[in-house]
Amino acid sequence: MTTYLRHPFPTPWAGTMSSSCSGLSRVLVAVATALVSVSSSCPQAWGPPGVQYGQRGKSMTLCCPGVTAGTPVSWFRDGETRLLQGPDSGLGHELVLALADSTDEGTYMCRTLDGALGGMVTLQLGYPPARPVVSCRAADYENFSCTWNPSQVSGLPTRYLTSYRKKTVPGADGQRMSPSTGPWPCPQDPPAAARCVVHGAEFWSQYRINVTEVNPLGASTRLLDVSLQSILRPDPPQGLRVESVPGYPRRLRASWTYPASWPRQPHFLLKFRLQYRPVQHPAWSMVEPAGLEEVITDAVAGLPHAVRVSARDFLDAGTWSAWSPEAWGTPSTGPLPKEIPAGGQPHMQPEENPQPDSPAPPRPSLLPDPRPLDHRDPLEQMAVLASLGIFSFLGLAAGALALGLWLRLKPVGKDGPQKPGFLAPMIPVDKLPGAPNL
């Protein structure tokens, strides 16, 4: 229950100064009122005119808006005749509420000594702002956005001030601020939304984001350091399509495109991962395609399959995107078609069902192509062949070296005759002409 203060803090001189309210006591009452109240002064810069804000559980001072400061007034609740505070309280045009709570919210009226309405004021209670929760994400390598949420609901009108600056490298000159490092405003898009966007960011730079929550009771700031490489998360790939491969009951062809938000540049590519599963099967199988399409070769014949795909920077910067919406496809159940031109107009003629060891399916086209399906890159094939050649050469060289060492170091039996060395002379020394006869 709120107490309406007439004399908030009795002074030590109250016994000697009796009932008359001297100028000194008025000053002391005003100082005490200011100490009790933790809210802002009566003039409000927030909300519509005639609205004042305060903190729950704290003392609050209301001001009569239609009179000059210090004019004695009487206070009433709107729609009630009970006097809350009379003109002899010594508080002039102010009404002090001690430990205000939700029962004190509402509209108050103040009347002058002649009974005229001095004004009306509406009290709204809440809490001071807390540091907001901020997160940032880059959908490409040129722009990033930051979003935030209040860590505590204040119950009061709230706005956010957002800015950013580029962090400098620590050092003698790195600590100096310059126009090239900011700070700059972070535009909120759309206005008053819990999101701001930074355009034209540098991929290798670091930035400091400032998000300040402000309400009538104060302000609270959150600083967040971000690097574009670490917050990079592309949007999901678009245009996912799943098609059957005619004549191959265990194959599905999936294709997709880059997300529209990702600029197509040769230095910043995306890699992809694809998941698929047959209907009513909870477990996903996953592959990492080399391009913008993939042929699934182990689909379950006759069952619809769900397929989804996600993307990430080709050099593993940031994180994987969210999964794209699922697309569905069912493997083909018909025979392998064959293209037979007749009179310049091709038509289709069915062929016998392929055997399990039949060649791979054709590449996608408006008309089926009987050539085997080969998704390998020619450069990849050349690299594989070169690697195989190098490994074969190294293996042969190592084998020859090992054989030579074994033959050179092969031990000789103790009892066997001593064989002449590789460089031993073929003619005995005693048979040489001129040798002494011993």
Side-chain angles (χ1 to χ4, degrees):
M1 185 66 179
T2 300
T3 302
Y4 302 95
L5 299 182
R6 293 177 178 268
H7 301 283
F9 287 79
T11 65
W13 305 279
T16 59
M17 308 231 21
S18 67
S19 60
S20 61
C21 189
S22 66
L24 180 58
S25 65
R26 290 179 181 273
V27 172
L28 293 176
V29 168
V31 172
T33 303
L35 292 176
V36 171
S37 175
V38 296
S39 62
S40 60
S41 59
C42 289
Q44 295 289 324
W46 286 80
V51 179
Q52 290 184 225
Y53 304 95
Q55 183 176 352
R56 295 180 184 271
K58 302 292 184 178
S59 296
M60 177 69 193
T61 299
L62 298 181
C63 300
C64 185
V67 299
T68 58
T71 302
V73 296
S74 300
W75 285 92
F76 303 86
R77 292 290 294 263
D78 185 25
E80 298 180 6
T81 58
R82 182 172 63 92
L83 178 65
L84 300 179
Q85 179 177 288
D88 58 346
S89 64
L91 299 178
H93 71 302
E94 296 178 344
L95 171 66
V96 177
L97 306 177
L99 303 178
D101 57 24
S102 59
T103 61
D104 296 310
E105 291 185 298
T107 302
Y108 293 78
M109 298 186 302
C110 54
R111 295 184 180 274
T112 59
L113 295 177
D114 58 1
L117 179 63
M120 302 180 68
V121 59
T122 300
L123 174 63
Q124 183 177 346
L125 300 176
Y127 298 97
R131 297 172 65 188
V133 179
V134 183
S135 62
C136 297
R137 170 181 172 264
D140 57 60
Y141 51 85
E142 295 178 341
N143 313 284
F144 68 92
S145 62
C146 295
T147 58
W148 55 87
N149 292 293
S151 58
Q152 172 183 290
V153 178
S154 67
L156 300 177
T158 303
R159 59 172 173 251
Y160 293 88
L161 307 178
T162 54
S163 64
Y164 73 98
R165 69 176 180 88
K166 185 168 68 172
K167 295 188 65 178
T168 55
V169 178
D173 298 330
Q175 302 299 331
R176 304 173 185 172
M177 297 298 294
S178 66
S180 62
T181 60
W184 304 287
C186 183
Q188 299 183 25
D189 182 25
R195 178 176 181 267
C196 74
V197 181
V198 175
H199 297 283
E202 298 177 0
F203 187 76
W204 305 109
S205 298
Q206 291 188 338
Y207 295 86
R208 171 162 291 179
I209 309 300
N210 182 325
V211 179
T212 301
E213 181 178 323
V214 185
N215 72 14
L217 302 182
S220 183
T221 297
R222 170 77 70 178
L223 298 177
L224 180 65
D225 293 337
V226 299
S227 169
L228 207 62
Q229 303 173 61
S230 61
I231 63 173
L232 182 62
R233 191 187 188 199
D235 289 329
Q238 298 177 341
L240 176 60
R241 298 179 57 188
V242 181
E243 302 172 326
S244 62
V245 179
Y248 292 86
R250 299 204 61 189
R251 302 202 176 200
L252 288 171
R253 180 181 293 110
S255 61
W256 57 90
T257 61
Y258 268 60
S261 59
W262 188 270
R264 293 297 299 271
Q265 297 291 338
H267 305 296
F268 295 91
L269 300 177
L270 292 177
K271 64 179 182 179
F272 304 93
R273 60 180 181 179
L274 180 141
Q275 285 188 340
Y276 59 96
R277 65 175 178 86
V279 65
Q280 298 179 352
H281 286 243
W284 292 88
S285 301
M286 187 170 70
V287 294
E288 292 195 7
L292 294 174
E293 69 172 13
E294 177 70 12
V295 173
I296 301 170
T297 59
D298 58 349
V300 179
L303 289 183
H305 286 67
V307 180
R308 61 185 185 181
V309 64
S310 67
R312 186 178 184 178
D313 175 74
F314 186 75
L315 298 178
D316 291 331
T319 57
W320 286 96
S321 73
W323 291 104
S324 67
E326 295 179 2
W328 290 81
T330 304
S332 172
T333 57
L336 180 66
K338 185 176 181 180
E339 178 181 328
I340 299 181
Q345 297 294 331
H347 64 276
M348 310 303 296
Q349 177 176 338
E351 185 179 278
E352 295 181 359
N353 290 330
Q355 300 299 323
D357 56 348
S358 59
R363 287 182 172 273
S365 63
L366 295 178
L367 294 174
D369 190 344
R371 294 177 299 177
L373 180 63
D374 188 1
H375 285 279
R376 292 177 295 178
D377 191 350
L379 293 178
E380 180 182 355
Q381 296 179 1
M382 292 178 61
V384 172
L385 292 177
S387 300
L388 292 176
I390 293 173
F391 283 121
S392 300
F393 174 77
L394 294 177
L396 291 175
L401 180 61
L403 180 60
L405 290 175
W406 181 79
L407 293 176
R408 182 71 179 88
L409 302 177
K410 182 178 179 182
V412 179
K414 294 182 179 180
D415 300 332
Q418 185 72 24
K419 294 183 179 180
F422 181 74
L423 299 178
M426 301 299 296
I427 304 175
V429 177
D430 56 354
K431 298 301 182 179
L432 293 175
N437 190 8
L438 300 179

